Each structure stands twice: as C-alpha cells, then as structure tokens.
Amino acid sequence: MTPQLSIPTISLDKALGMDNVRFVDVRSPKEFEEYHLPGAINIPLFDDEERAEVGTLYKQRGRDAAMNRGLEIYSAKLPWFHQQFQSVSKESPDAPLVVYCWRGGMRSGSVVLTMALMELPVIRLEGGIRSYRYQVVQELEAASRERKPFIVLEGNTGTGKTEILLALKQEGYPVIDLEGLARHRGSIFGRIGLSPASQKEFEAGLAAELNRYQTSPYYIIEGESRQLGRVLLPEFIVRGKKQGTRIRVEMPVAHRI
C-alpha cells in the first residue's frame, strides 16, 4: 500500500478571514507580476526560464520527465527555500504561511510538504490563485447586476479631476479611482513613470473597491474611455458612465498648463 502524506490545506474564504495570515506565492516572478493575492510575497519555486523549461518538457516528453526536472531544480534550492520561509516566519511568528500556486497543485503542495517537515507553520491554499480569480469574477458579475447609479466627473486634462476625486475619497465618499487601479495617467500622459496593471490585477483591485462600497447607494468615477492603458473597463462601468449624472470641471487654460 502506498503511504498517503497529509498536506494541511485552507479555503480562500477562511484564509482571507484570518487577521494575521501571510500569503506566499510560489509561482514564477512573471506570473506573480501579472497578479497575486493582496499582500502576498513571492518565493518562486521556478524562475521564469525554469518554468518555461519544465513546461516544454511536459509537452514534449510527458509528465514524468517534467516532474523529474522540477524535482532536480527544487532539490537544489531547498536550503534557500528554507531560509526564505524561516525569515518570513520570524517576521510574523504568530502568522500561518498560506502557500499557493496556480491551481493549488504540485508546486504549492511540494513546498508545503517539505517546509512542514522542517516545522514551519505552512498551509496550502485550496484551488490556488485560480480560486481567487474565480471569486473576483463572481464579485464583478454581482456588482454588474446591482445597476447602481454613477456620478461621473469629467473635464479636460489639467483641471484637477484626480485631485478632486482623491479628496472626496479621503472624506469617505464612494470614489473608484479607475486610473489609480489601472496605474495609468489618462489619455494625455498615459503610463509615464508607472508600471501599468494587467487586466486581472485591475479587476481584482476593482472588485475590492466595489466590496468596500457595497452599502453605498452610488459610485463616483472619472469619465474614462472604454480602454484605460492596458485594461478594458467592465461593461457595467461603461454603461454606468454613459447613463450617470455628469459633473464637468472647468478651469482656465493658463492654470491647466
């Protein structure tokens, strides 16, 4: 009989409900950069080149060849991995380390199993970050069905729309800073000095903002186009902008300059 090893797991809802949890993303740096759980740190099992190599082996020679190569890479990194996890654990001694990969499969399972054997407080996230992506999509769909009215601030570049929105947000008004979420400065200045958000990262941030203002009877946004940098606005935001109450900001050209 093959012995069964028990890997401690936790659901996304339970993990997000914990006060002192630390999320550890063991996907490659490129995957992590695209989007990740809020507050997560990246301790990658494979770097981008290694992930590509293992993926190619899987396609060309099958699962066993990919697993063997993955094991070689991970085995060589075990001391480094232990040091990284130990360091994070020491920073937050009372916080469990919730580890995830894409589907909550082999990468996170391997890390959790070996780190648990070294007596570190590690737990695998059920479903990986795919469960988080699914939750974000569900939350956006729910928000689209609410059909709350929008107040839309519009005006030419330099009229201070963003400053007004941020001031209103500080006062507690339900402002959704679309440019901030997209990390984009609008039609004139674009992404100058910024690292633009991916579509998934933008949607995760948007879902969090919508949840934040769940009890609000309306939303306040800036009058953006359908595409903002690298991201596309959800249809219900575009519809809300078209149907919303518009407030236009005017300012002399000299002051705008």
Side-chain angles (χ1 to χ4, degrees):
M1 180 181 294
T2 303
Q4 297 295 315
L5 298 175
S6 178
I7 299 176
T9 62
I10 189 171
S11 68
L12 178 63
D13 287 340
K14 287 185 178 179
L16 291 175
M18 299 172 69
D19 294 330
N20 61 344
V21 66
R22 292 294 304 272
F23 288 107
V24 180
D25 189 321
V26 295
R27 298 175 304 152
S28 67
K30 188 174 182 180
E31 291 175 288
F32 180 81
E33 182 182 354
E34 182 184 13
Y35 84 116
H36 49 265
L37 278 162
I41 60 173
N42 188 209
I43 305 179
L45 182 63
F46 305 135
D47 62 27
D48 296 328
E49 292 75 19
E50 290 165 344
R51 175 175 175 258
E53 178 189 356
V54 171
T56 301
L57 273 174
Y58 186 90
K59 291 178 182 178
Q60 295 180 350
R61 296 175 52 191
R63 184 172 182 269
D64 287 345
M67 284 181 61
N68 288 336
R69 179 58 184 142
L71 183 60
E72 288 177 2
I73 295 170
Y74 182 44
S75 298
K77 294 182 179 180
L78 263 176
W80 176 82
F81 251 88
H82 181 247
Q83 290 172 3
Q84 297 298 309
F85 272 82
Q86 194 174 47
S87 176
V88 175
S89 183
K90 286 180 179 178
E91 290 174 4
S92 307
D94 298 324
L97 307 181
V98 176
V99 181
Y100 68 87
C101 56
W102 169 233
R103 289 187 297 247
M106 189 167 295
R107 284 186 287 180
S108 58
S110 301
V111 171
V112 168
L113 183 60
T114 50
M115 294 302 108
L117 289 172
M118 297 177 188
E119 300 182 345
L120 290 172
V122 287
I123 310 172
R124 182 176 67 176
L125 180 65
E126 295 172 3
I129 199 170
R130 190 167 66 170
S131 64
Y132 177 59
R133 175 63 182 165
Y134 176 78
Q135 184 182 85
V136 167
V137 171
Q138 294 294 105
E139 289 173 351
L140 291 178
E141 288 179 355
S144 71
R145 294 191 294 268
E146 290 181 346
R147 293 186 176 270
K148 288 184 183 180
F150 283 75
I151 296 174
V152 185
L153 202 65
E154 55 183 27
N156 293 325
T157 298
T159 52
K161 299 185 299 296
T162 299
E163 287 79 3
I164 294 171
L165 288 174
L166 294 178
L168 289 171
K169 193 178 186 73
Q170 286 187 339
E171 292 289 331
Y173 286 91
V175 172
I176 300 175
D177 180 11
L178 297 172
E179 287 186 356
L181 293 173
R183 295 201 295 274
H184 193 270
R185 300 185 192 278
S187 57
I188 301 297
F189 297 107
R191 63 183 187 182
I192 294 173
L194 299 173
S195 174
S198 68
Q199 185 71 35
K200 291 179 180 177
E201 188 178 10
F202 170 79
E203 290 176 356
L206 177 60
E209 286 291 89
L210 293 170
N211 277 334
R212 180 181 179 185
Y213 300 124
Q214 196 168 24
T215 59
S216 174
Y218 61 92
Y219 301 122
I220 304 175
I221 63 171
E222 186 174 341
E224 305 289 357
S225 59
R226 181 181 295 270
Q227 184 165 353
L228 189 55
R230 290 171 51 182
V231 305
L232 292 173
L233 300 183
E235 184 58 39
F236 76 94
I237 297 283
V238 177
R239 182 180 65 241
K241 183 194 73 172
K242 290 180 179 179
Q243 299 174 352
T245 301
R246 296 173 179 272
I247 299 175
R248 183 165 185 83
V249 182
E250 299 282 357
M251 193 170 287
V253 173
H255 189 86
R256 289 171 52 206
I257 292 172

